[in-house]
Amino acid sequence: MRRALIAANWKMHGSRDFIRELVGQLLPSLSNGVNGVDLVLCPPFPYLAQVAELSRGAELILGAQNICSEHEGAFTGEISGRMLADFKVRYVIVGHSERRKLMAENDALVARKFVAAQASGLIPVLCVGETLDERNSGNAAQVVEQQLSAVLEGSGVEALRSAVIAYEPVWAIGTGCSASTSQAQDMHASIRRMIAEHDPEVAQSVQIVYGGSVTPDNAPDLFSQPDIDGGLIGGASLNAESFIRICQSVS
Ligand code: PGA
């Protein structure tokens, strides 16, 4: 039986005051966790220590939004997996579509970041997903397979035993237009089939979460699908009430 995972991706939002207030509002409902669910908060880098401090003793896990593919050295502005681990970070998002598009991260770089994360003992949350054009031209599954293959070639299927996959259709991110429950379930099942070609047991055990305009209203249906193991939540995670409702809607 797979555990569920809900991760908040705060992106480049917040301030010390905002985060103090948000975490303060989350704690009464989430500090004891939600049964069977891993709850992860991914603040911007400067606020990792603050979130760790504010949530000390609570069942909230720290995650980061990005990682450098290198461990150490002359990489001005970059942050390594070792540094993240030093701050008690346990999860790190790799290959988010905003980084693929805006920072020109390609499959090869994402695969190296995945390796770097695991080498530092972090659990990568590997984001995959197609654009609207790719979906409309019937290539969605192929695009996702290619993104996944880059990581499988670099790390092997066994590496997915300590990783999470996030299916995030680019057209659904921040648009208010989530994938339908069946579109999401179909892709999650297809990702599991792709992995099963390498190792059926890994395919059954890996957590695959959905991201893209998840709200308290659509979360219960999405999370009730057999192959959807939770969500990566952007906009709705910046509002305590919405995020709490989303976390509590995992059955
Ligand atoms: P959204 O973002 O929930 O605001 O669509 C999800 C994500 O980018 O991870």
Side-chain angles (χ1 to χ4, degrees):
M1 186 66 188
R2 292 184 298 270
R3 283 178 66 78
L5 180 140
I6 306 283
N9 175 10
W10 292 343
K11 309 194 181 185
M12 199 172 71
H13 292 290
S15 63
R16 277 195 290 177
D17 286 347
F18 176 85
I19 284 173
R20 188 178 310 111
E21 192 175 327
L22 179 58
V23 176
Q25 290 167 344
L26 294 177
L27 285 175
S29 304
L30 300 183
S31 62
N32 292 329
V34 171
N35 217 1
V37 189
D38 298 321
L39 299 177
V40 182
L41 302 179
C42 305
F45 289 133
Y47 304 111
L48 284 168
Q50 185 196 14
V51 172
E53 181 61 31
L54 290 169
S55 60
R56 189 197 296 258
E59 305 262 328
L60 293 169
I61 310 170
L62 203 54
Q65 299 175 18
N66 185 29
I67 180 174
C68 182
S69 57
E70 307 298 326
H71 293 306
E72 187 175 47
F75 300 100
T76 302
E78 291 294 305
I79 297 188
S80 72
R82 283 182 198 161
M83 293 173 181
L84 296 174
D86 200 18
F87 274 83
K88 307 281 177 262
V89 169
R90 299 243 315 271
Y91 287 83
V92 60
I93 299 171
V94 297
H96 190 282
S97 71
E98 283 151 16
R99 298 204 60 85
R100 289 180 189 262
K101 178 155 182 271
L102 305 171
M103 313 294 164
E105 291 192 7
N106 60 21
D107 284 343
L109 178 59
V110 172
R112 294 213 312 278
K113 289 187 174 208
F114 185 98
V115 170
Q118 291 195 327
S120 303
L122 303 173
I123 300 176
V125 179
L126 170 68
C127 299
V128 294
E130 80 288 356
T131 63
L132 192 55
D133 278 354
E134 289 163 344
R135 174 159 285 263
N136 288 341
S137 56
N139 291 328
Q142 199 184 318
V143 167
V144 167
E145 178 158 22
Q146 192 181 322
Q147 292 167 338
L148 193 60
S149 298
V151 166
L152 289 174
E153 278 161 27
S155 297
V157 68
E158 285 290 316
L160 294 183
R161 287 190 192 277
S162 38
V164 176
I165 296 172
Y167 169 56
E168 297 208 305
V170 179
W171 47 272
I173 295 177
T175 59
C177 169
S178 162
S180 69
T181 327
S182 62
Q183 283 171 324
Q185 163 58 27
D186 286 353
M187 186 61 84
H188 282 231
S190 141
I191 292 171
R192 243 181 254 291
R193 278 195 301 275
M194 292 171 205
I195 299 169
E197 285 172 19
H198 301 265
D199 188 322
E201 199 218 312
V202 173
Q204 277 315 305
S205 64
V206 66
Q207 288 169 316
I208 308 179
V209 302
Y210 168 80
S213 297
V214 176
T215 65
D217 293 333
N218 61 26
D221 267 357
L222 285 163
F223 299 163
S224 68
Q225 298 302 301
D227 289 297
I228 301 183
D229 305 316
L232 180 54
I233 320 298
S237 70
L238 292 164
N239 176 285
E241 192 201 325
S242 300
F243 187 64
I244 291 165
R245 281 176 59 201
I246 290 171
C247 293
Q248 293 176 337
S249 66
V250 183
S251 48

